[in-house]
Amino acid sequence: MTQTSQPRRENHSGRGRKTFDRVPDGFLLVGFLVILLEVVLLGAVGLARAVGPDDDGASADKGPRRVEVTYIATGDHPSVDLTVGEANGHVPHRVVLLPYRKTVTLAADADFYLDVQSREDQKGGTLTCTVLVDGKVVQQAHSTSDSSSAVCAGSTADAPQRGIPVPSLTPGASPLPKERRITGTVEMPDYPGEGSPVVGTVTDSSLEYAELGGTWDRSKPLDPVFDGFTRKQEGRQRALVKSTQVDEDIMAAAGGTGELRGVADAVMDERRRYEYPRDEAVLVDVASQPLKVDGHDAWLLVSEIHFHQRGVPSTMDLNAVLVVDTGRVRPSVLWVVLPETNKKLWPDLNTLVSSVQVR
């Protein structure tokens, strides 16, 4: 008898079924998304730790935090010697006009240093140093009666000081003009006005020239060892007339050749160096010309010397140097100073130059 075949029945228990066969399809999708989200979050945390701030709060890419530091120097001086910079890296001092302000960028815990000091020829008065960090005053100091400087030193991490205003930066001394020297020949102008009367003559160092009256004091002899000149006449507001024989140092500075133009330039440079604020007085030549004095060769140099000096109302003096070859080993020189604040004396320059004779 033929038997009809029946389908084979699987004979295993539920424990033997595959795990995924027991989980609905929707739960599989949700689980996969959760795992994927965890992987993404863990990666983000690891990346943040890798590029995040260091122990000091700075970014590895940007470096330490920076702040703006502003140095301010004020006072009643036209100019000062200034030293500014980080405490371990001072910038060499230099001459600056007041008021002074400069902003730099430093690390948030850097040291700063600001020294505002009177120049050697401008002692006294008041000076103030101020340091701002991100626009707030962290230190301010003033010079005292027995001190010629104000010093601010500290750290950019110092706390701001309350109640200290930022100094007013009112314009101080006007900028000095640019230096201008004459290389050709320009004649001295004829300065208008009556000028001072002539009350006598002065004979000195083989030169004879007019002695002025009016507001001028009488001419006096000088000790050349201490004064560098042998005669002097003083007028109001720094006006001067001096004469002597050109010394060996100036001759050497002029090249030692005795060429009169070079000697006149050397005398003017020396007067600028020793009679005016160091490294700040500016020469602007007005005239430079050869002359004949009693048949002797001579050279006349006239210059404006512009400067700022505490306690001196004039900011420009008219200076004249007349160098005359008198036949001696070294030429003789007449030096004249006439301040801008007393221009009525300027015609005296024409009087003096025209009066010079060789004796």
Side-chain angles (χ1 to χ4, degrees):
M1 181 175 177
T2 302
Q3 293 182 347
T4 303
S5 61
Q6 298 292 329
R8 185 178 178 181
R9 186 183 300 270
E10 293 185 11
N11 189 18
H12 55 75
S13 67
R15 294 179 184 174
R17 297 178 61 191
K18 296 179 180 179
T19 302
F20 287 136
D21 291 338
R22 300 172 58 190
V23 179
D25 293 340
F27 284 101
L28 288 174
L29 179 60
V30 171
F32 175 79
L33 293 176
V34 169
I35 294 173
L36 179 61
L37 179 60
E38 289 180 350
V39 171
V40 172
L41 290 176
L42 288 174
V45 170
L47 181 62
R49 288 178 177 176
V51 301
D54 296 327
D55 292 340
D56 60 356
S59 168
D61 293 334
K62 296 183 179 180
R65 189 172 71 87
R66 312 285 286 178
V67 293
E68 283 192 348
V69 177
T70 301
Y71 300 106
I72 299 176
T74 53
D76 63 357
H77 292 225
S79 62
V80 293
D81 284 325
L82 191 81
T83 303
V84 60
E86 297 184 32
N88 295 324
H90 298 168
V91 176
H93 82 270
R94 62 191 188 280
V95 176
V96 300
L97 295 179
L98 294 185
Y100 170 88
R101 180 187 180 111
K102 183 178 182 180
T103 299
V104 298
T105 302
L106 300 178
D109 58 351
D111 293 330
F112 60 76
Y113 184 85
L114 175 62
D115 183 2
V116 186
Q117 188 168 13
S118 297
R119 303 188 64 194
E120 184 177 355
D121 52 1
Q122 301 191 36
K123 298 295 184 181
T126 59
L127 296 171
T128 299
C129 66
T130 306
V131 177
L132 313 180
V133 175
D134 285 341
K136 297 180 180 179
V137 177
V138 297
Q139 193 166 140
Q140 187 176 88
H142 307 276
S143 61
T144 61
S145 57
D146 58 349
S147 172
S148 60
S149 68
V151 178
C152 291
S155 169
T156 57
D158 292 345
Q161 298 187 19
R162 296 182 179 180
I164 299 181
V166 177
S168 174
L169 298 181
T170 55
S174 59
L176 297 173
K178 292 183 179 179
E179 185 117 341
R180 186 173 70 247
R181 307 306 300 265
I182 293 175
T183 57
T185 299
V186 177
E187 293 186 358
M188 180 183 69
D190 185 9
Y191 293 102
E194 183 177 354
S196 303
V198 176
V199 297
T201 59
V202 177
T203 301
D204 178 54
S205 302
S206 299
L207 297 181
E208 182 181 277
Y209 54 91
E211 182 178 13
L212 302 172
T215 61
W216 291 86
D217 297 332
R218 299 306 299 260
S219 179
K220 298 178 181 180
L222 295 175
D223 185 340
V225 175
F226 295 100
D227 296 285
F229 290 85
T230 48
R231 296 288 300 193
K232 174 180 73 170
Q233 186 174 20
E234 292 183 296
R236 291 183 181 175
Q237 301 177 17
R238 293 164 46 92
L240 283 174
V241 178
K242 287 187 174 184
S243 57
T244 193
Q245 188 179 22
V246 178
D247 66 30
E248 295 178 352
D249 290 340
I250 293 179
M251 295 296 293
T257 63
E259 195 271 324
L260 295 180
R261 181 171 193 159
V263 174
D265 285 337
V267 172
M268 187 70 77
D269 288 338
E270 186 202 42
R271 294 300 93 208
R272 187 246 300 261
R273 184 180 306 113
Y274 289 105
E275 303 293 336
Y276 293 89
R278 187 182 56 203
D279 303 326
E280 191 183 349
V282 172
L283 274 172
V284 177
D285 287 346
V286 174
S288 185
Q289 65 179 113
L291 292 176
K292 285 290 185 179
V293 174
D294 258 3
H296 295 258
D297 290 335
W299 196 277
L300 174 65
L301 175 62
V302 182
S303 303
E304 297 175 351
I305 298 187
H306 297 259
F307 63 99
H308 298 298
Q309 187 169 358
R310 183 177 178 274
V312 178
S314 176
T315 58
M316 189 273 280
D317 289 345
L318 190 67
N319 277 250
V321 170
L322 177 62
V323 177
V324 183
D325 183 358
T326 63
R328 300 171 67 180
V329 175
R330 298 190 303 276
S332 297
V333 60
L334 179 70
W335 175 51
V336 183
V337 182
L338 302 170
E340 184 182 34
T341 50
N342 200 357
K343 280 190 174 182
K344 68 180 182 179
L345 295 182
W346 284 17
D348 291 350
L349 179 56
N350 299 105
T351 301
L352 288 163
V353 171
S354 62
S355 71
V356 178
Q357 303 289 321
V358 176
R359 293 290 182 266

